């Protein structure tokens, strides 16, 4: 099996079924979908089970057990995966069209000629702001400090999770920490696939005002684990000089976000 898609849920309502339908309607079909539910009581899992039975969809496995949160649920799903590669698609997120996975896997196969690749990443579409979020096609230490691709843009070789999953003490930035662990500790060379893989819903757990503060705190702690004091000083100085707060405001504004992402794409091409 080429791919295991992992979706975690807890009282997600109709979002769970929509996310699963987005996956099973993909033209690429060599995958399993693991739904790791943390104990929903809103009928969302029963609705999904009914739909799966009606449509005789055998690629979806539902695992219902308590967990300690989103990242613990993702780890538990990864531990049950049988695919060569793992992909995490949150409830409410959708694939970017029926051929998104087929196009991304084709890009993976094209890059595989360079030797075994353990981590691929692409772009996501920000539904809230109506724009494609362009990932940096060249990943280096500064790119890791500034911003790594959303986990909805990343496809991991299963070995990167069989050795160690997400560190669940990080409530908001566990996926960020894991990406840096792959890059700095495991010396993984992430490969960019120029495909928009998923429609990212946004506005969820990590984007509340409380968790934005937690995110900043976790970012400081995590970068301290993998980067020197000198690196962090110069990287932070570079962000200040290049007006990061203004650029962030432009990227997150619905009126300017699309234009900003197009400009960023041109810069990356240069």
């Amino acid at each position: 099996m080429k791919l295991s898609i992992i979706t975690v849920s807890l009282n997600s309502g109709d979002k769970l079924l929509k996310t699963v339908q987005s996956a099973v309607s993909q033209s690429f079909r060599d995958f399993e979908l693991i739904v790791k539910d943390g104990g929903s009581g809103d009928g969302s899992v029963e609705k999904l089970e009914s739909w799966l039975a009606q449509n005789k969809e055998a690629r979806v496995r539902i695992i219902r057990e308590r967990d300690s949160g989103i990242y613990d649920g993702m780890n538990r799903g990864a531990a049950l995966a049988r695919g060569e590669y793992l992909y995490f698609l949150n409830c409410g997120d959708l694939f970017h069209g029926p051929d998104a996975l087929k196009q991304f896997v084709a890009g993976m196969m094209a890059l595989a000629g360079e030797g075994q690749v353990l981590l691929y990443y692409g772009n996501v579409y920000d539904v809230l702001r109506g724009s494609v979020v362009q990932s940096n096609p060249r990943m280096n230490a500064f790119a890791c400090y500034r911003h790594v691709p959303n986990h909805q843009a990343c496809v991991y070789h299963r070995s990167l999770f069989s050795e160690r999953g997400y560190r669940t003490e990080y409530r908001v930035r566990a996926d960020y920490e894991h990406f840096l662990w792959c890059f700095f500790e495991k010396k993984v060379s992430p490969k960019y696939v120029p495909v928009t893989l998923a429609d990212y819903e946004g506005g969820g757990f990590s984007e509340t005002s409380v968790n934005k503060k937690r995110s900043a705190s976790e970012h400081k702690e995590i970068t301290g684990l993998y980067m020197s004091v000198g690196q962090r000083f110069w990287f932070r100085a570079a962000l200040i000089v290049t007006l990061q707060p203004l650029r962030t405001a432009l990227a997150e504004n619905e009126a300017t976000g699309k234009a900003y992402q197009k400009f960023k794409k041109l810069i990356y091409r240069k």
Side-chain angles (χ1 to χ4, degrees), residues 133 155 170:
V133 179
V155 174
Y170 296 114

Side-chain angles (χ1 to χ4, degrees), residues 1-7 19-35 51-52 57-61 81-89 95 97-102 105 108 155 197:
M1 187 179 298
K2 186 67 176 175
L3 189 67
S4 291
I5 302 170
I6 299 161
T7 296
T19 297
V20 171
Q21 288 174 331
S22 172
V24 300
S25 65
Q26 289 294 294
S27 55
F28 178 84
R29 299 185 59 79
D30 187 17
F31 67 85
E32 65 172 352
L33 173 56
I34 299 172
V35 174
W51 185 87
L52 293 173
E57 180 52 70
R59 288 176 297 168
V60 180
R61 286 192 284 155
R82 297 178 295 207
E84 182 183 2
Y85 286 87
L86 309 181
Y87 176 66
F88 298 94
L89 186 67
F95 280 102
D99 295 324
L101 196 52
K102 178 180 180 180
V105 172
M108 290 172 58
V155 174
L197 187 51

Side-chain angles (χ1 to χ4, degrees), residues 112-127:
E114 303 176 11
Q116 187 181 43
V117 179
L118 299 180
L119 174 53
Y120 298 92
Y121 68 98
N123 307 318
V124 295
Y125 179 81
D126 187 332
V127 175

Side-chain angles (χ1 to χ4, degrees), residues 85 114-121 137-141 143-144 148-149 154-164 177-192 226:
Y85 286 87
E114 303 176 11
Q116 187 181 43
V117 179
L118 299 180
L119 174 53
Y120 298 92
Y121 68 98
R138 292 187 297 175
M139 197 55 57
N140 53 31
C144 285
V148 302
C154 297
V155 174
Y156 297 85
H157 192 270
R158 64 178 301 154
S159 63
L160 294 175
F161 278 83
S162 59
E163 182 173 346
R164 175 169 87 70
E177 188 280 330
H178 190 273
F179 193 100
L180 266 59
W181 175 77
C182 293
F183 185 85
F184 289 101
E185 185 73 19
K186 303 306 295 180
K187 309 301 182 185
V188 170
S189 297
K191 297 297 183 182
Y192 174 66
Y226 297 104

Side-chain angles (χ1 to χ4, degrees), residues 4 25 37 43 82 97 111 117 129 134 177 194 222 226 242 253:
S4 291
S25 65
D37 184 78
R82 297 178 295 207
L111 290 169
V117 179
R129 298 166 184 95
Q134 297 293 329
E177 188 280 330
I222 292 165
Y226 297 104
T242 57
N253 186 284

